[in-house]
Amino acid sequence: MAKDEVTGRASAAAGGWGALKSVGRHLMGSGAPVAGAKTMLRANQPDGFDCPGCAWGDPEHGSSFEFCENGVKAVAWEATRDRVTPDFFAAHTVAELRGWSDFDLENQGRLTHPMRYDPATDRYEPVAWETAFAEIGAALKALPDPDQAEFYTSGRASNEAAFLYQAFVRLYGTNNFPDCSNMCHEASGVALTGAIGIGKGTVLLEDFELADAIFVVGQNPGTNHPRMLADLRKATARGAQVVAVNPLKEKGLKRFADPQDKVEMMHGGSKPTSTDFLSPRLGGDMALFRGMAKLVFAAEDRARAEGRAPVLDHAFLEAHTEGLEAWRAEVEATGWEQIEAQSGLARAEIARAADVYIAADRVILTWAMGITQHRHSVATIREMANLMFLRGNIGRPGAGLCPVRGHSNVQGDRTMGINEKPSAAFLDAMEGALGVPMPRRHGHNVLGAIGAMLGGSARAFIGLGGNFARATPDSALIAEALTRLDLTVNIATKLNHGHLLTGRQSYILPCLGRTEIDRNAAGNRQMVSVEDSMGMVHGSGGINLPAAPELKSEVAIIAGIAAATVGSEVLDWAALAQDNDAIRDLIARVLPDFGDFNTVLRQPRGFRLRNRAAERIWQTPSGRAVFGTAPLPEATEWQSAQGRDACFVLQTFRSHDQYNTTIYGMDDRYRGVFRERRVIFANPADIAALGLAPGARVALHGLHEDGVARVAEDLRLVAYDIPQGCIAGYYPELNVLVPHGLFGEGSDTPVSKSVLVRMVPA
Ligand code: SF4
């Protein structure tokens, strides 16, 4: 058990003194601890800024400390005093910088000036904004086909930036919108749209105070949504059941020491965040839920036979759903042998979860990447929704489905139209508002963009934030493909590896951070808006001076490129660049649920975007909630690995000092790893079976048979409580092993949680 670095005592809890120490270290690291601390007091506050971290919701009546350790890391990382100026680029060639680690690149500080790549010197050099816009516009206009350009979006982009971006790109003539959600919750969007008619969760934060049972599946909130721990421990404290489902016994899923609880901190105390823990094999979650369904149906039959109250919510099922019988037949046809083999759980363990489900009147089911990054993720999420339908656990207080989003506005970006497959209704509304035709041909998601880059048809890449090159699978192939492009443009706050994969023309355009003041034409501080996992849309206004006077907002940069590329006949980009209220008026004209946007956004904590599924109005073709009827996969990757020498199923994930591809530090304190990232977590029995010991160094070889050699070298084995046959390690380092040709059925999401590899001693 990892020791708490402050008390030195073994600590089973997340949070606690370790969190405070980490907060202190990251604020000190920013070079402005006092300013950083002051900034944090405005995080997630009505008149403050939205934490640029994850998309966990903000409580109606929050405390003055509405932030977590990782929120502080995100803000300290942005508010650093370090700067990457033109002098920095003059001192380093791109070739040299390509050899730096992800951490070292971003740790150089905030970008200060627009930069253009000079192939002759292999360096980035300063360029005037207007020159950059004009050259980028000329390059885009020079492409024979707008579909040769890929427009990537990171989930940190605000609603206003995302809406303007999609308007520009559609006026340019394409729907090529690869975005970060393609690699994270796409399967959730696809599955939920099929099941309930909307690709979003149906619960509010307040529902967590009412639920009798909460299932937290394939998620590590201790690192990725830390404020969720407070909601989970409140739930267990009031007697609710919280069942954690994760191959790894993540610390945050067991206990949480709330740094805001003075008594607890004084006594080194903590409270449970779960009441039961199930550790299925990688890719075994669908089988778990299939097994729970079998037991719920069996309980129903017993109740009927014994004349007791039904277990199923027949009123809900009859009034609101379709496909129950077909699914039940599928469930009954699935044998326990297959369920236990795929889940890696004994029937008795599954029965524990089913009993909790049946005993609870109101149930919430939350999930994240542990569910969405498999081949059969869409089918798994349909199976989870099916189970929730059985007892009407949707569309009523304390019950519902909750995909917990990673990036603070990834859900908002999709709502704003960042979608390669836009609905006809959305395009009609855009045409109505802009008075010109919109491209109707579906475009590229991340998988499509990768294919176009590797195939050579893509000629340009525009990145609105993010680190496409490091977030995507097959990093080696993607890196090579990016350097073959005619144009690469990256809008960013800090330097990252993707910026160094230069095309014939390349630009880095530095933007304001979420904590920084953006003024409108009248000189007033203006706000942007974001949408969290609960569908709450709220305002965010910067409070700090910009890191450099040359910086522009994301909105202003997009407007500058758009004016130079598509002209200002349809939209007055210069005016929109300085007036987020005007952008919101445009959004309100296109998206009916954003009526009177500028008024409702200024309410404290903003407003809830209408979610008809939460009202039991199903926008499915049949107007009913629909049961999925997929069979279990013939074999999971875990099953395919059995009997093959030194073969394992690998999942890639984040360390505790990481946010997506942003590496804040080299520690993973909840898992007992410090000052390194080239590690593999493996079951002690598997390590011994290979004749190795913890600490031994190994290489992993990818086993996907497409003729591409995929190898990750020099990895230290860490003995860990993980199911045998399953191993785990960090991305982006291990994305070299994730084949771009292997992706989720229906979601096109890379299968980063179930990659077949062979372990080879170094
Ligand atoms: S839980 Fe997420 S949104 Fe909230 S402070 Fe932490 S990182 Fe930021």
Side-chain angles (χ1 to χ4, degrees), residues 40 43-44 50-58 66-72 74-75 221 223-228 405-406 408 659:
M40 286 320 301
N44 301 323
D50 176 73
C51 166
C54 79
W56 187 249
D58 300 328
E66 269 313 326
F67 57 84
C68 74
E69 174 191 346
N70 281 10
V72 173
V75 170
T223 290
N224 305 329
H225 313 96
R227 279 189 298 151
M228 184 178 178
R405 308 276 175 172
S408 56
Y659 190 83

Side-chain angles (χ1 to χ4, degrees), residues 648-680:
F648 292 88
V649 186
L650 166 73
Q651 75 163 79
T652 66
F653 61 7
R654 296 178 190 169
S655 77
H656 190 59
D657 267 1
Q658 175 182 354
Y659 190 83
N660 282 350
T661 56
T662 295
I663 315 297
Y664 299 126
M666 304 302 282
D667 296 345
D668 191 3
R669 68 191 188 85
Y670 288 160
R671 300 186 183 118
V673 168
F674 297 96
R675 292 171 294 286
E676 61 177 331
R677 291 183 52 82
R678 299 198 70 77
V679 296
I680 290 293

Side-chain angles (χ1 to χ4, degrees), residues 214-218 243-246 278 280 283-297 327 331 334 336 339 342-343 345 350 353-354 357 363-367 370-371 379-388 390 401 632:
I214 302 168
F215 287 81
V216 182
V217 187
V243 179
V245 179
N246 194 309
L278 297 178
D285 302 276
M286 185 176 177
L288 161 62
F289 289 100
R290 177 62 50 94
M292 288 174 68
K294 271 177 94 65
L295 293 165
V296 172
F297 283 130
W327 179 54
V331 171
T334 309
W336 276 107
I339 288 171
Q342 292 198 352
S343 67
L345 299 168
I350 297 174
Y357 179 71
V363 179
I364 291 177
L365 206 162
T366 78
W367 69 90
I371 288 292
T380 301
I381 297 163
R382 294 298 299 263
E383 193 78 6
M384 291 160 35
N386 288 0
L387 182 76
M388 294 290 272
L390 290 183
L401 297 161
L632 288 186

Side-chain angles (χ1 to χ4, degrees), residues 648 681-689 718-727:
F648 292 88
F681 299 87
N683 185 294
D686 286 336
I687 295 174
V718 175
Y720 210 79
D721 184 352
I722 186 171
Q724 282 197 260
C726 303
I727 58 175

Side-chain angles (χ1 to χ4, degrees), residues 164-310:
L164 215 59
Y165 194 50
Q166 65 83 27
F168 152 48
V169 173
R170 291 196 164 105
L171 285 170
Y172 174 63
T174 182
N175 284 309
N176 282 354
F177 286 107
D179 78 284
C180 69
S181 75
N182 298 155
M183 293 178 279
C184 68
H185 266 292
E186 196 66 45
S188 305
V190 172
L192 292 179
T193 302
I196 62 174
I198 184 173
K200 303 177 179 181
T202 64
V203 300
L204 287 172
L205 209 50
E206 291 75 9
D207 289 310
F208 284 82
E209 294 164 15
L210 301 171
D212 308 303
I214 302 168
F215 287 81
V216 182
V217 187
Q219 200 188 338
N220 177 18
T223 290
N224 305 329
H225 313 96
R227 279 189 298 151
M228 184 178 178
L229 299 187
D231 298 289
L232 295 179
R233 77 181 231 145
K234 269 191 267 177
T236 61
R238 64 177 172 77
Q241 299 297 301
V242 177
V243 179
V245 179
N246 194 309
L248 287 98
K249 299 269 185 320
E250 303 285 16
K251 191 171 274 194
L253 288 169
K254 307 211 73 183
R255 301 187 68 83
F256 175 50
D258 186 347
Q260 298 190 39
D261 185 324
K262 302 181 188 52
V263 177
E264 200 165 81
M265 290 294 277
M266 290 225 291
H267 303 291
S270 64
K271 290 194 178 57
T273 50
S274 65
T275 52
D276 198 357
F277 207 119
L278 297 178
S279 286
R281 293 173 177 140
L282 291 169
D285 302 276
M286 185 176 177
L288 161 62
F289 289 100
R290 177 62 50 94
M292 288 174 68
K294 271 177 94 65
L295 293 165
V296 172
F297 283 130
E300 168 70 11
D301 294 347
R302 273 197 311 281
R304 186 189 303 249
E306 295 158 13
R308 288 185 286 109

Side-chain angles (χ1 to χ4, degrees), residues 323-335:
L324 172 61
E325 288 320 313
W327 179 54
R328 178 161 188 171
E330 191 57 55
V331 171
E332 303 299 6
T334 309

Side-chain angles (χ1 to χ4, degrees), residues 540-564:
S540 175
I543 58 163
N544 293 334
L545 291 177
E550 288 76 17
L551 298 186
K552 286 181 182 290
S553 69
E554 293 170 325
V555 161
I557 295 172
I558 292 162
I561 295 172

